[in-house]
Amino acid sequence: MPKKTLLNAATYRTYPRVPASVSLASGMALAVSAALPLTALAEEVQLDALVVEDSGIVADSNPYAEPGAPYKAKKLSDSKHTRDIADTPQTMTVLTKDVIDESGKNELKDLLAAQPGITLGTGEGGNSFGDRYIIRGYEARSDVFTDGLREPGLITRDTFALEQVEISKGPSSTFAGRGTTGGAVNTVTKKASLDDDFNKLEGGMGTDDYHRFTFDANRVVNDSLAIRFNGLYSESDIPDRDPAAEERKGALLSAVFQATDDLKLAADYYFFRSDDRTDPGVAFDRDTQSFNRYDYVGQDGLDFQESGADIFTLAVDYQLTDAARLENKTRLGNTTNDYIITAYSAGRGDIRSFTGWQDNDYVGNQTNLIIDTELGGKRHTLVTGVEYAKEDVIAGNYAIDQTNTFTIDPYNADNNLWEGSTSKSDKMSDLTLKTWSIYLMDTITLNDDWELFGGVRYDHFDYKLWTAERERRGTIVPEARYAFSDGFWNGHLGVVFSPWENGNLYASWGTSSNINGGEADAGSSCGYGGLCSDSDGNYAHADPEQSTNWELGTKWNLMDEQLLLTAAIFRTTKDDVIEEGGDSYSTGGSLNTGKNRVEGVELGLSGNITNKLSGQFGIAVMNSETLESYDESLVGLPKANFAEKSASLQLKYQLTSDFAFGGNLTYASEMFGGQPDTGARLNIRTPGYSVVDLFALWQINPDMSLRANMQNVADKEYYTAIYRGGSIVYLGDARSANLTLSYRF
């Protein structure tokens, strides 16, 4: 790492080390000489050295990547992270625009599932179908952020409008608020730019009726105003699972207005609709420990999954003084998720339908004051802020009126035998969750070798939940209303020791808190993260679950800062765990009786390995254990939906200036089924797997390029997630291939 220099905030800048253009510099020097009068040439002239830096950045490249090393992210988009990734005392996995595009993965869940330390959860009867992530063994489906603000709802997420994906590992409550036990995901959207006009049109075709079209255009209206539009239309069958299929439509319209030298306004509107026939996978027989591989059993006229998003964000950035900057973000959003999904139950020998609908309205506001100045002879970068968030979530299900009877054959593709009608229920639950937060962070440069980070955050919430009278497993559950409020403190401490020019050692400590009922999609289904009550019906007596993380690591900027190597050992302990009370569909639970731990080692690499070979690599080796539980038989068991070993490797080799090729390797060890935060069910397991993808890139001319992707080259049959009870497992995608033509004009 470069030695830190104590300068006023107005002059403290970090410039990338980019090779100078010698020929351009020489040409300019000659031009200057030629312009001098002949009499002046007779005199000795002392000129300052002229350094010309060529960033190599094209208009629509990722502004957060290291110039000249598109696989390496240099910094995070969130201004609360005031140092480069290499100087941040925390494990960060960042997927740049080039990594995302060249992988050929178009859904956020597929990108994240390939990353070390992350697994997928399933949609089930007690929580919605949608993108569900588990980071380092801990539920993170509500810990997804976009441009630094929490994203509302559990929906399908496409990558068409993404510039970068930032995965922070370990508790991040100081930055993100409630939750974030194992980590958090922040997606960074493509934004309007005043730098240049550009248009980029992409069209893709492939196997399984794959069609995908995107359009990205930026217009500089004048010196102060720019507008950018990203559009998407895509459709395809699920490989080897037809008629399971996906259809997506999306748009992101953004604008930036530089009102004055010090004041910048930005706004964007995000629109997204998906219309899918979701494949819930195949059955697992717990008695024989076997997987029953059969055809997709979804029913015409019955099965669907539709999700949508309409989200508006306004950002104000004001440079108050040379040393102080004020920023404010406001977000208004609505997301919806409706589905009827049919699956076959091997144990029961029949089909079962999962149904649900959810409507989430979100209001959020975040204000940050960032001060970079010298205090007491030391450089301080202070971030203080306040945040408000309000989530209104209503949910229900669908009634299915089947007018015929039939026996389904899951091994026969012609299973569309269903007849009847469906109707959408009135709302069955209504949640309002309000949160007020205040935080203060400071990064102190003690000297050239030592930097200290500290932060504290207080969150106060009001929770109100109404549930309708319903029948649950033959028992009538009466209408109920719940309301409580609470508050909690969390903090971070970190120290970075960097006596070397290119490397450092760091240590960090951080905490997080999860509230009772914090998973907004689960209502009062205790075992799925919804509100839990004890045997006496008490719910407000549950303290927030508390997590603590210790991490010791090192980061090294090599190859003239074109390659970042990271390594860390960590331990996360979650205490006061709220456990389900046996029946996960009920509201009953055991309050603050559990404790578990995840510890391990994580290694990472990203950037230019040689001048022709680029790569991003990560590996996580972890161990989990239930330390305490209301049920003594669970103590000592590992966590569910947890892969002890996982790895990801993406390589690209630039064979010529116009042609490159590469591939991806994803590995995950076996996983057990069961309830999160309770000991796993060892008789339910999915085997480990390795999947290889390939890609090639051809720059046909300066304006046109062609990319070929082949996913799961060996057509490996593998399972990405397992239903908590073990009856259903999710299938990974079979082999597929596609071509994408890009035209810039």
Side-chain angles (χ1 to χ4, degrees):
M1 309 332 181
K3 294 292 184 178
K4 303 174 182 64
T5 304
L6 300 182
L7 297 173
N8 183 276
T11 58
Y12 187 91
R13 299 288 188 270
T14 302
Y15 293 101
R17 297 180 183 173
V18 182
S21 174
V22 177
S23 60
L24 179 59
S26 301
M28 293 183 68
L30 288 172
V32 171
S33 299
L36 292 174
L38 291 176
T39 55
L41 291 176
E43 301 176 6
E44 182 178 350
V45 179
Q46 183 71 37
L47 297 176
D48 291 336
L50 177 64
V51 179
V52 178
E53 295 184 343
D54 178 14
S55 68
I57 299 176
V58 296
D60 64 338
S61 63
N62 180 6
Y64 309 105
E66 185 78 56
Y71 270 30
K72 179 196 173 192
K74 181 178 180 64
K75 59 183 179 180
L76 299 172
S77 63
D78 188 352
S79 59
K80 294 194 294 294
H81 292 278
T82 61
R83 296 295 185 265
D84 288 348
I85 295 169
D87 296 313
T88 299
Q90 186 176 3
T91 298
M92 300 282 183
T93 300
V94 181
L95 310 179
T96 65
K97 178 177 178 291
D98 287 67
V99 170
I100 295 170
D101 290 346
E102 292 166 10
S103 73
K105 301 181 189 301
N106 299 321
E107 292 191 41
L108 184 60
K109 71 176 179 63
D110 295 330
L111 282 171
L112 294 180
Q115 302 310 309
I118 301 180
T119 53
L120 297 180
T122 60
E124 305 174 14
N127 63 270
S128 301
F129 280 77
D131 291 359
R132 182 181 172 198
Y133 318 117
I134 298 169
I135 303 177
R136 286 184 174 175
Y138 293 101
E139 185 73 60
R141 68 182 186 266
S142 294
D143 299 329
V144 180
F145 299 76
T146 298
D147 295 328
L149 288 175
R150 192 179 296 271
E151 180 146 313
L154 188 66
I155 58 172
T156 300
R157 298 177 175 92
D158 197 279
T159 63
F160 79 98
L162 296 188
E163 197 85 81
Q164 184 162 284
V165 177
E166 303 167 347
I167 309 162
S168 59
K169 303 292 183 66
S172 300
S173 282
T174 306
F175 294 94
R178 75 175 194 273
T180 69
T181 302
V185 178
N186 183 47
T187 61
V188 185
T189 59
K190 299 175 180 178
K191 298 175 179 62
S193 170
L194 290 165
D195 293 338
D196 196 9
D197 289 338
F198 61 83
N199 301 283
K200 186 176 182 181
L201 178 65
E202 287 192 347
M205 299 183 66
T207 61
D208 307 289
D209 288 329
Y210 173 90
H211 301 86
R212 182 178 174 88
F213 305 95
T214 63
F215 180 62
D216 184 3
N218 189 81
R219 282 289 174 271
V220 179
V221 179
N222 54 47
D223 291 343
S224 302
L225 177 65
I227 300 173
R228 186 171 183 177
F229 174 79
N230 281 269
L232 162 75
Y233 177 79
S234 71
E235 59 180 4
S236 67
D237 294 334
I238 305 299
D240 199 29
R241 301 294 287 171
D242 176 33
E246 300 173 340
E247 181 183 85
R248 308 285 162 77
K249 302 173 185 177
L252 176 66
L253 179 63
S254 64
V256 60
F257 177 56
Q258 191 75 47
T260 69
D261 290 343
D262 297 325
L263 177 62
K264 182 172 72 173
L265 307 176
D268 62 67
Y269 167 66
Y270 176 74
F271 166 89
F272 184 79
R273 298 291 185 271
S274 69
D275 186 0
D276 303 344
R277 294 188 68 182
T278 300
D279 179 21
V282 298
F284 176 76
D285 191 320
R286 287 169 290 187
D287 296 328
T288 62
Q289 299 284 299
S290 62
F291 298 90
N292 295 342
R293 180 68 157 82
Y294 49 72
D295 293 317
Y296 171 75
V297 298
Q299 305 293 290
D300 275 341
L302 176 68
D303 277 39
F304 73 95
Q305 182 177 7
E306 298 175 351
S307 66
D310 293 275
I311 302 172
F312 175 78
T313 306
L314 174 66
V316 180
D317 194 319
Y318 186 55
Q319 191 75 35
L320 298 171
T321 68
D322 288 346
R325 182 164 62 90
L326 183 69
E327 62 176 26
N328 177 271
K329 297 177 184 177
T330 301
R331 176 166 295 160
L332 306 175
N334 173 263
T335 62
T336 59
N337 189 19
D338 295 56
Y339 57 88
I340 298 176
I341 298 175
T342 299
Y344 178 73
S345 176
R348 303 192 315 188
D350 62 4
I351 63 170
R352 58 188 301 191
S353 293
F354 299 96
T355 79
W357 64 265
Q358 183 183 109
D359 190 297
N360 186 320
D361 288 319
Y362 174 86
V363 177
N365 182 274
Q366 181 185 103
T367 301
N368 294 316
L369 175 62
I370 304 166
I371 302 173
D372 197 343
T373 190
E374 185 175 297
L375 296 172
K378 310 296 181 184
R379 181 192 177 201
H380 289 253
T381 307
L382 291 153
V383 180
T384 184
V386 294
E387 188 169 353
Y388 169 78
K390 180 175 180 283
E391 297 175 74
D392 290 300
V393 186
I394 58 174
N397 52 35
Y398 283 83
I400 299 174
D401 183 12
Q402 184 176 320
T403 59
N404 68 324
T405 59
F406 61 89
T407 301
I408 195 167
D409 179 3
Y411 303 99
N412 181 353
D414 186 18
N415 273 313
N416 295 301
L417 308 172
W418 179 86
E419 295 178 8
S421 62
T422 66
S423 59
K424 186 175 182 178
S425 76
D426 293 332
K427 66 179 182 181
M428 303 298 291
S429 66
D430 189 338
L431 168 67
T432 297
L433 178 56
K434 298 178 183 178
T435 309
W436 295 265
S437 309
I438 186 169
Y439 44 87
L440 174 65
M441 291 172 271
D442 190 11
T443 303
I444 309 169
T445 305
L446 300 175
N447 53 45
D448 283 352
D449 296 337
W450 291 92
E451 196 159 69
L452 180 66
F453 167 78
V456 64
R457 179 178 180 127
Y458 179 76
D459 293 277
H460 184 275
F461 66 88
D462 283 332
Y463 183 101
K464 294 180 180 178
L465 174 66
W466 169 87
T467 57
E469 180 182 289
R470 69 189 71 191
E471 181 180 346
R472 181 175 279 161
R473 297 193 175 185
T475 301
I476 299 298
V477 179
E479 175 185 0
R481 295 182 183 275
Y482 310 89
F484 65 102
S485 61
D486 201 353
F488 42 79
W489 290 92
N490 282 289
H492 266 81
L493 285 175
V495 61
V496 179
F497 176 54
S498 52
W500 312 279
E501 181 179 358
N502 298 313
N504 64 41
L505 295 173
Y506 72 86
S508 66
W509 167 90
T511 68
S512 69
S513 301
N514 296 66
I515 69 172
N516 186 11
E519 302 296 345
D521 64 303
S524 59
S525 295
C526 171
Y528 293 95
L531 187 70
C532 294
S533 303
D534 63 17
S535 57
D536 296 324
N538 297 315
Y539 56 89
H541 294 169
D543 294 327
E545 299 172 320
Q546 302 293 334
S547 301
T548 303
N549 183 73
W550 293 91
E551 182 168 308
L552 179 65
T554 183
K555 298 185 179 183
W556 289 83
N557 253 330
L558 304 176
M559 304 290 292
D560 199 21
E561 298 194 15
Q562 302 287 287
L563 181 68
L564 179 64
L565 296 178
T566 64
I569 57 175
F570 66 89
R571 169 178 284 186
T572 302
T573 304
K574 188 175 183 180
D575 211 338
D576 294 327
V577 175
I578 300 172
E579 303 179 89
E580 64 155 311
D583 181 1
S584 58
Y585 289 95
S586 73
T587 60
S590 184
L591 306 183
N592 303 127
T593 55
K595 183 177 182 179
N596 52 56
R597 181 177 63 213
V598 174
E599 55 190 5
V601 177
E602 189 159 347
L603 308 176
L605 171 153
S606 59
N608 295 344
I609 302 171
T610 70
N611 61 348
K612 289 183 176 292
L613 182 63
S614 302
Q616 183 171 73
F617 167 73
I619 183 171
V621 180
M622 305 181 292
N623 178 68
S624 65
E625 183 179 0
T626 303
L627 303 176
E628 297 176 7
S629 174
Y630 78 99
D631 184 349
E632 288 294 329
S633 67
L634 301 176
V635 175
L637 294 178
K639 292 177 66 65
N641 297 298
F642 178 83
E644 291 191 345
K645 302 179 183 68
S646 56
S648 173
L649 172 65
Q650 181 166 325
L651 291 174
K652 179 177 71 173
Y653 186 76
Q654 194 72 41
L655 184 63
T656 70
S657 60
D658 297 328
F659 182 76
F661 63 92
N664 302 68
L665 170 65
T666 301
Y667 167 76
S669 61
E670 69 174 4
M671 292 187 297
F672 296 109
Q675 162 63 23
D677 279 341
T678 301
R681 301 179 65 170
L682 301 184
N683 65 328
I684 303 171
R685 71 174 68 192
T686 60
Y689 64 86
S690 297
V691 176
V692 175
D693 308 326
L694 296 176
F695 64 86
L697 309 166
W698 178 29
Q699 191 70 42
I700 301 171
N701 59 47
D703 298 321
M704 186 177 294
S705 62
L706 184 68
R707 187 183 77 240
N709 287 91
M710 180 174 287
Q711 309 288 346
N712 194 358
V713 174
D715 203 19
K716 173 80 172 180
E717 183 174 302
Y718 65 103
Y719 308 98
T720 61
I722 188 166
Y723 188 86
R724 55 178 294 143
S727 59
I728 301 170
V729 290
Y730 281 10
L731 274 171
D733 284 347
R735 180 168 51 217
S736 64
N738 61 72
L739 291 173
T740 301
L741 182 67
S742 299
Y743 177 56
R744 188 187 304 273
F745 59 97

